[in-house]
Amino acid sequence: HSLETTVSPAGLGTVAVFRHLVELAELMGMPVVEGGTPLYANFPKDHPLHLGYDVKRFQSQSDLFLVIGSSVPWYPPSSRPAQGTVVVIDENPIKAQMAYQSLQADIYLEGDVATTLKLLVEDLRVSASGDGRVKERRNHWEDEHRKLQEGYQAAALTAKGRQPIDAEWLCAALNEAMPQDAIYIEETIMHRQAILRQIRWNQPQSYIHPTGGLGLGLGLALGAKLAAPQRTIVALEGDGSFLYNPIIPALGMAQEYNLPILIVVFNNGGYGVMKRSHLDFYPQGVAAGTGVFHGVDIAGPNYAQLVEPFGGYGERVEDPEILAPAIRNALAAVKEGRVALLDVVLAA
């Protein structure tokens, strides 16, 4: 049967876009696939039409692609779906600053994304009513969503007892403990995919990925706490990313202005993406041959101790058995009005 898929907005994290996209997907029985590096919460992750982050698996079986606010849904642009119609919905669909990235689209809908989605929903609500194919598609994709989630859960359970702690299990444990309305500020690289797989956010404006370089995560987390003081703010930081931040000023501000946030450091002791780049670009190079990767290792401190001068709660976690209690301790401290920092030691 005819299949459609949408690529959810990568840069338009408004409440209206979030809600209209849910309406559109449900109305047409279309799966929503996010880009590999989403910037915002785009769609409820527990929704049965959320189908993960890999659009490639759909490119050979779909006949309509709605690319909504996404600059790079596939790369290079020539790798666009070989079949089907590509429709780009964006305020600036043909980006002059990205001349190579026309997205090879068939149709461009330029304008306010929330308004465009709203008008599409209003029009399709009439034409799609009574279409039996919608129910058929929805049943199919709900089954696919369930299989995807079961795979994620199996990966977390497999990782549960590993030592050093596995990022999959860390993220699953965080997901289990956090309140439903938590806001995640995510500034990692190596562990981003584990975060996307295991941590579920289902509300608009509940996930933000900083853009413009490293070192913005703590500032964004404090800003989110100012904007939503009643919600739990969780800053997910790679140890390398964390060191790019103005740590002392951020902790000082958190204390002075009563902005208790939870900081979780994904501590793998190095700039993993730099090591990976060495191997990707120079697989036969000196670093690969000697095992010496200059500028990669981080001889960091016990990050948990950094919050002590600011009246915060810190805990270094190396044993997977104490991970869940440590998360509960940190959440309790945040509820008391103290900033909390978990330094979780992961495999290199």
Side-chain angles (χ1 to χ4, degrees), residues 166-219:
D166 190 292
E168 295 281 345
W169 177 239
L170 167 58
C171 295
L174 286 169
N175 182 70
E176 184 69 24
M178 292 302 143
Q180 285 292 312
D181 66 346
I183 298 175
Y184 297 93
I185 311 299
E186 181 267 312
E187 191 174 32
T188 71
I189 300 176
M190 293 298 293
H191 301 114
R192 182 171 302 137
Q193 296 308 308
I195 291 168
L196 294 178
R197 285 189 292 266
Q198 299 296 341
I199 300 181
R200 298 188 296 272
W201 42 85
N202 294 303
Q203 299 182 24
Q205 299 181 332
S206 55
Y207 169 81
I208 304 172
H209 173 64
T211 60
L214 298 177
L216 306 176
L218 295 185

Side-chain angles (χ1 to χ4, degrees), residues 1-345:
H1 54 268
S2 172
L3 304 176
E4 290 114 15
T5 184
T6 66
V7 179
S8 68
L12 301 157
T14 68
V15 174
V17 169
F18 187 98
R19 290 176 177 166
H20 291 320
L21 182 57
V22 172
E23 289 182 275
L24 179 61
E26 291 179 345
L27 188 63
M28 299 303 295
M30 295 190 298
V32 174
V33 184
E34 299 188 67
T37 311
L39 304 183
Y40 304 104
N42 296 309
F43 197 82
K45 295 178 72 173
D46 281 342
H47 194 288
L49 290 174
H50 189 278
L51 266 293
Y53 302 88
D54 181 13
V55 72
K56 289 182 180 179
R57 62 180 287 223
F58 297 90
Q59 289 190 198
S60 63
Q61 57 179 307
S62 305
D63 57 17
L64 173 65
F65 295 82
L66 299 183
V67 181
I68 306 173
S70 180
S71 299
V72 190
W74 38 73
Y75 187 85
S78 59
S79 67
R80 63 148 277 171
Q83 62 184 38
T85 301
V86 175
V87 180
V88 173
I89 300 175
D90 205 333
E91 292 181 1
N92 179 23
I94 302 178
K95 297 173 172 56
Q97 77 276 18
M98 300 173 67
Y100 63 90
Q101 188 67 8
S102 70
L103 301 184
Q104 308 289 313
D106 301 291
I107 300 172
Y108 297 92
L109 298 180
E110 182 175 2
D112 178 72
V113 174
T115 301
T116 302
L117 292 177
K118 178 175 181 290
L119 293 173
L120 280 173
V121 167
E122 290 174 353
D123 187 60
L124 289 169
R125 190 175 287 130
V126 177
S127 61
S129 61
D131 188 340
R133 292 174 299 176
V134 172
K135 184 177 181 181
E136 183 183 358
R137 281 198 300 267
R138 181 171 180 126
N139 289 341
H140 172 78
W141 294 120
E142 285 182 356
D143 188 54
E144 291 298 308
H145 170 85
R146 178 183 55 77
K147 293 176 183 176
L148 193 65
Q149 295 302 313
E150 288 174 352
Y152 294 163
Q153 293 167 9
L157 290 174
T158 299
K160 182 175 181 179
R162 289 178 184 160
Q163 195 166 359
I165 296 170
D166 190 292
E168 295 281 345
W169 177 239
L170 167 58
C171 295
L174 286 169
N175 182 70
E176 184 69 24
M178 292 302 143
Q180 285 292 312
D181 66 346
I183 298 175
Y184 297 93
I185 311 299
E186 181 267 312
E187 191 174 32
T188 71
I189 300 176
M190 293 298 293
H191 301 114
R192 182 171 302 137
Q193 296 308 308
I195 291 168
L196 294 178
R197 285 189 292 266
Q198 299 296 341
I199 300 181
R200 298 188 296 272
W201 42 85
N202 294 303
Q203 299 182 24
Q205 299 181 332
S206 55
Y207 169 81
I208 304 172
H209 173 64
T211 60
L214 298 177
L216 306 176
L218 295 185
L220 275 172
L222 293 171
K225 190 63 177 179
L226 280 168
Q230 302 307 315
R231 295 175 68 175
T232 301
I233 310 300
V234 187
L236 306 173
E237 295 279 337
D239 55 337
S241 303
F242 184 60
L243 292 174
Y244 272 78
N245 281 265
I247 298 170
I248 301 303
L251 294 175
M253 182 178 177
Q255 181 186 42
E256 182 176 355
Y257 292 96
N258 189 29
L259 301 172
I261 62 174
L262 169 58
I263 303 167
V264 181
V265 178
F266 286 61
N267 184 358
N268 64 355
Y271 294 100
V273 71
M274 292 174 61
K275 182 176 182 179
R276 184 176 65 188
S277 295
H278 275 297
L279 296 172
D280 287 347
F281 288 104
Y282 305 101
Q284 307 301 322
V286 173
T290 63
V292 177
F293 295 85
H294 293 292
V296 167
D297 295 330
I298 298 175
N302 183 336
Y303 298 109
Q305 295 177 349
L306 296 175
V307 298
E308 293 177 4
F310 301 93
Y313 174 84
E315 187 170 351
R316 184 178 174 92
V317 185
E318 300 182 55
D319 184 348
E321 292 294 326
I322 67 169
L323 180 58
I327 294 172
R328 291 195 293 269
N329 292 340
L331 275 175
V334 169
K335 290 178 181 177
E336 294 170 0
R338 303 162 64 196
V339 66
L341 191 154
L342 292 179
D343 177 10
V344 183
V345 179

